[in-house]
Amino acid sequence: MGHMKLQINGEIRGISAVSNVRELLKVLGISESQVAVEINGTIIRRADWESTQIADLDKVEIVQFVGGG
Amino acid sequence: MTYSHEKDFLSLGGRTFRSRLLVGTGKYATFPLMKEALEKSEAEIVTVAVRRVNLNRSAESLLDYIDTRRFTVLPNTAGCYTADDAIRTACLGREAGLSNWVKLEVIGNEKTLFPDTEALLSATRTLVKEGFVVLPYTNDDPIMARKLQDAGAAAVMPLGAPIGSGMGIQNPANIRIILESATVPVIVDAGVGTASDASVAMELGCDAVLMNTGIAGAQDPVAMAEAMKLAVRAGRLAFKAGRIAQKLYASASSPLQGISQ
């Protein structure tokens, strides 16, 4: 299986090649519930996680809820 | 007719709530302590922030400690300094939480954390068009409160004092003027330091109070959560009961006639 490089949350990371958002979360060990994902500045709706392709050098943001006021 | 707490609901964003206390989830030493304080507060709406997932360690998730059947999770846009940033964060929060409610903050200055109300109004307009229930954190300016209301905000949330300052309601006169022309709920957001501050906000006629540091920063957050719950309820009761007018001189409580000589 190949590898790919992504910029995830501001950090360049090499990971096993993935083809879509759902696979990316799995490879990163991130629970699917209660996160939001943005690829190259576009928010990817949950329903589109499987159909949205990930390419080498994509800029990925993954956010979740933390304590706040 | 006697006021009944049981029948007094907060109507907000098309929903009704029993509690008029909204609480934040930041600054707690531990998640279990936060959970206990949230429960003790009997709040039904809790605010959260939207931040990057930490990829290098598997930290516990905040939401493991918030029963989402009991609490409505209200994402904020804290830390955003432009309308665009706030809009983006609101959209991320909507995706993460699958709810279209947002506590909208556009900060204008990092020392005061005062809102940039020009950008706030612009972001409110955009998000209302996008179908959000927008709850904007604003300053205590009645003109801006009216503009936010006209832009479709579901509430206006003037600060009592700077965020985390614990200074209480610095300008009760302005809050009263905001209340006079408000057709949406007015929620004092920020500045509450202790129970009496929350009571003052409610006695002025505010619909609710939102606080975080006042509870989370107390030496015993669980006890302060209970104090705030009672203070909000007491203030609301006093407002509904209708206080006496303030006078300079005494008015005897006991009869002046029939004093034994």
Side-chain angles (χ1 to χ4, degrees):
Chain A
M1 205 167 153
H3 280 70
M4 69 195 306
K5 254 188 200 164
L6 296 174
Q7 186 183 326
I8 308 172
N9 288 355
E11 201 180 305
I12 304 282
R13 292 176 79 98
I15 60 162
S16 308
V18 295
S19 58
N20 62 47
V21 173
R22 176 154 286 150
E23 280 180 26
L24 174 65
L25 293 177
K26 202 172 168 190
V27 162
L28 294 173
I30 295 170
S31 160
E32 283 193 10
S33 58
Q34 298 137 1
V35 296
V37 180
E38 195 184 70
I39 310 282
N40 300 325
T42 304
I43 295 171
I44 311 299
R45 308 213 81 138
R46 211 163 274 261
D48 301 326
W49 280 0
E50 206 143 302
S51 60
T52 302
Q53 307 286 305
I54 305 262
D56 216 28
L57 301 175
D58 273 352
K59 193 169 168 263
V60 181
E61 289 285 323
I62 306 169
V63 299
Q64 65 180 354
F65 291 143
V66 301
Chain B
M1 199 172 73
T2 298
Y3 165 81
S4 163
H5 166 69
E6 302 306 318
K7 293 177 189 156
D8 183 29
F9 295 101
L10 169 65
S11 195
L12 181 64
R15 296 179 50 193
T16 53
F17 299 92
R18 288 191 155 276
S19 170
R20 292 175 179 273
L21 173 59
L22 292 73
V23 296
T25 58
K27 295 189 180 174
Y28 284 95
T30 66
F31 282 147
L33 181 63
M34 175 199 76
K35 183 177 160 69
E36 206 182 331
L38 297 190
E39 281 169 11
K40 191 62 93 174
S41 77
E42 291 182 24
E44 292 166 291
I45 300 174
V46 297
T47 59
V48 298
V50 178
R51 291 292 181 269
R52 283 173 164 172
V53 169
N54 189 333
L55 298 167
N56 299 317
R57 57 183 166 89
S58 59
E60 282 183 300
S61 166
L62 172 76
L63 289 182
D64 293 342
Y65 290 86
I66 298 173
D67 180 353
T68 51
R69 290 163 303 180
R70 174 168 173 181
F71 297 103
T72 295
V73 173
L74 176 61
N76 70 25
T77 63
C80 293
Y81 281 78
T82 67
D84 284 348
D85 272 356
I87 291 163
R88 171 175 172 257
T89 301
C91 291
L92 285 168
R94 177 169 64 179
E95 272 307 298
L98 306 174
S99 146
N100 60 348
W101 285 44
V102 63
K103 176 189 160 181
L104 186 63
E105 295 183 36
V106 186
I107 302 301
N109 174 279
E110 65 182 35
K111 193 168 179 184
T112 61
L113 297 179
F114 283 149
D116 176 340
T117 50
E118 187 183 17
L120 179 70
L121 182 59
S122 155
T124 297
R125 289 195 177 114
T126 302
L127 289 169
V128 166
K129 265 186 219 145
E130 293 280 324
F132 279 85
V133 172
V134 181
L135 311 174
Y137 154 73
T138 184
N139 59 19
D140 56 15
D141 172 10
I143 307 302
M144 184 49 62
R146 185 182 48 75
K147 288 184 180 184
L148 290 165
Q149 177 178 294
D150 292 348
V156 290
M157 305 208 295
L159 52 79
I163 293 173
S165 70
M167 297 271 283
I169 315 297
Q170 289 291 295
N171 198 340
N174 272 27
I175 301 290
R176 281 173 58 191
I177 295 170
I178 289 171
L179 283 161
E180 268 185 12
S181 56
T183 55
V184 294
V186 175
I187 301 172
V188 161
D189 176 10
V192 169
T194 188
S196 53
D197 298 334
S199 290
V200 166
M202 296 307 294
E203 286 170 19
L204 289 170
C206 291
D207 296 278
V209 181
L210 195 165
M211 65 184 76
N212 186 347
T213 310
I215 294 174
Q219 291 200 13
D220 182 346
V222 177
M224 189 59 93
E226 182 169 21
M228 292 300 187
K229 174 192 79 177
L230 295 170
V232 166
R233 195 176 292 179
R236 178 69 178 173
L237 270 163
F239 171 69
K240 294 302 260 186
R243 60 156 299 155
I244 61 163
Q246 286 172 303
K247 289 182 294 190
L248 195 54
Y249 292 103
S251 158
S253 301
S254 307
L256 299 175
Q257 281 77 41
I259 294 172
S260 176
Q261 311 244 339

